[in-house]
Amino acid sequence: MNVRRGAAALAASAVLCAGAAPAALADTAPPASPSAPPVIPSGLYGKADPTYDGVWRQSFALLAQHTVGVKPAAQAVDWLVGQSCANGAYASFRADPGTACDDKTMYDTNAAAAAVQALTALGGQDAAVRRTVDWLKSVQNEDGGWAYVPGSPSEANSTSLVISALAVAGEKPAEVRSKAGKSAYEGLLPFQLGCSAEPAADRGSFAYQPVDGKLLANPDATAAATLAGLGRGAAVPPPAEDTPAAPLTCPAPAAADPASAARSAAQGAAGYLAEALRKDGHLTAVTPGADQPTPDTGNTADAVIALAAAGHEQSAAGALEWLKANSAAWAKGSPAALGTLVLAAHATGTDPKSFGGADLVAELNATGPAPQGADTGATTVESEKSGGSGGQNVWWIVGAGAAAGTGIGILLSGRRKKNQL
């Protein structure tokens, strides 16, 4: 589920367009010079500059630890709670949490949504979660959706992330409505490519945003929308029953209510992901400067989680094996990447301590403060299987005009820059 994610591109774009100031780069004043090494807070996971992804990577680290039975360090949880503004909002990273947020703070709905998922799972943070949920609801666009930067046009990735966070926190997305009366699902479903989409293989997928009025399939948005449509977050247990993923049903049957329409859309999205993974066992992406598509490890992991959430574990099996063999370099040292792999393993009933020869939990724990308790290993919760239910890499800006021309919105996920890890 990682758009998504901990990103700087939209925030930076808004800075360029609106003149708002980004967060400072260091813990202390005066701010560090561009050539100075980043100051990493003691409670934060990861050693890379946290300016654009501090809250995101922390949230995924804590969520993954909790999911496999590891109790995170208290200072790590405190750091995440302390990143919240008084109104419940989050920026991507606040170097000085003691300074109040103001009209120059670059709010980040993706970071807020990730924090809600982590803090809800950990428990004991009801008041903090409630403030952030209320803030997210307050910045819902009139069309029912959300943007990375509040006030910008809605897009599928942020809308999906917020819906997932709301659902995890106990809200009913179909009942979360904008001032214009549009529900959260009404904000998401228009981004889906329906039965008239061409090529037919793209039917069921979701676009990030329209490009020149046209929806273009985006696997990242599709994986996020699958979870959102199912009312699920990133931490999903293995499915109790396994069924093959199927293409979008055409013509689409009439839905009894928005929640039913969202679930149907999610299954169509899962069908697209399963087919997209079938050829090579992984998704691909075109990165800046590359002539040909390259494997997209982050979105492949997201797709595995989404398919498992939709009840299609076998449809994700090939991609899971590909991740075991090919994700080590991508995930090395990255709390969000390692956390996502732990969640993918958990969703498929796979031992994260033996993932392609790697102990993902130990690697994740090593990126930050030591967890609580003597036993910090993973625990696979098999009872959940019978009972039911990146990262550190920065998003890099690509020119808005060039991006629109290639149909990928105004950003690319930094997870795709494997050499940055």
Side-chain angles (χ1 to χ4, degrees):
M1 144 163 205
N2 291 309
V3 179
R4 292 174 332 202
R5 298 154 70 140
L10 283 177
S13 176
V15 169
L16 293 174
C17 295
L25 296 179
D27 268 345
T28 57
S33 68
S35 61
V39 176
I40 308 299
S42 60
L44 177 63
Y45 281 80
K47 303 304 179 186
D49 185 347
T51 301
Y52 302 117
D53 80 329
V55 170
W56 180 265
R57 76 196 197 201
Q58 189 83 345
S59 298
F60 269 82
L62 299 182
L63 182 61
Q65 287 180 324
H66 173 80
T67 299
V68 296
V70 174
K71 189 173 183 179
Q75 68 181 127
V77 179
D78 291 344
W79 183 89
L80 181 58
V81 175
Q83 284 288 297
S84 175
C85 300
N87 63 354
Y90 275 84
S92 303
F93 170 72
R94 291 203 293 146
D96 182 9
T99 299
C101 301
D102 56 24
D103 57 3
K104 293 184 178 180
T105 302
M106 184 61 62
Y107 293 136
D108 176 348
T109 62
N110 291 209
V116 165
Q117 290 199 45
L119 295 177
T120 300
L122 291 169
Q125 302 293 339
D126 292 353
V129 169
R130 183 73 259 163
R131 284 194 299 273
T132 301
V133 165
D134 287 345
W135 177 77
L136 285 169
K137 292 165 72 172
S138 77
V139 295
Q140 184 179 18
N141 287 336
E142 288 195 357
D143 62 9
W146 282 266
Y148 174 83
V149 177
S152 301
S154 299
E155 26 88 4
N157 291 32
S158 295
T159 299
S160 297
L161 284 170
V162 174
I163 288 175
S164 288
L166 294 174
V168 167
E171 297 283 337
K172 295 180 179 180
E175 298 176 5
V176 176
R177 296 186 175 275
S178 69
K179 293 179 180 178
K182 296 289 187 178
S183 76
Y185 284 138
E186 289 179 285
L188 175 63
L189 297 187
F191 292 105
Q192 186 169 39
L193 281 72
C195 295
S196 62
E198 294 296 339
D202 287 347
R203 294 172 186 175
S205 66
F206 278 72
Y208 168 73
Q209 273 181 331
V211 177
D212 294 331
K214 184 177 181 181
L215 298 178
L216 301 176
N218 183 309
D220 195 21
T222 305
T226 301
L227 291 177
L230 296 170
R232 304 299 294 271
V236 298
E241 297 181 1
D242 188 42
T243 60
L248 181 72
T249 300
C250 291
D257 53 71
S260 296
R263 289 192 295 270
S264 178
Q267 289 296 340
Y272 165 82
L273 291 173
E275 189 60 33
L277 291 169
R278 195 183 306 278
K279 179 181 178 182
D280 301 314
H282 62 80
L283 299 175
T284 60
V286 178
T287 56
D291 295 328
Q292 299 295 328
T294 57
D296 186 340
T297 312
N299 283 337
T300 299
D302 290 342
V304 167
I305 296 171
L307 286 168
H312 311 312
E313 189 176 337
Q314 282 303 309
S315 296
L320 182 69
E321 293 306 310
W322 184 87
L323 287 171
K324 290 179 180 179
N326 295 278
S327 63
W330 170 76
K332 185 177 181 181
S334 168
L338 289 165
T340 301
L341 291 177
V342 168
L343 294 171
H346 180 74
T348 54
T350 303
D351 184 0
K353 292 187 71 178
S354 181
F355 192 86
D359 184 341
L360 298 176
V361 179
E363 290 186 29
L364 174 60
N365 292 345
T367 65
Q372 301 181 54
D375 181 8
T376 59
T379 55
T380 303
V381 187
E382 289 296 332
S383 60
E384 289 185 339
K385 187 165 185 177
S386 61
S389 169
Q392 178 167 306
N393 330 327
V394 176
W395 283 13
W396 297 89
I397 303 168
V398 293
T406 56
I408 58 174
I410 63 170
L411 52 83
L412 285 172
S413 171
R415 293 174 311 183
R416 301 167 184 168
K417 292 179 66 64
K418 292 190 286 290
N419 292 335
Q420 294 291 325
L421 292 173

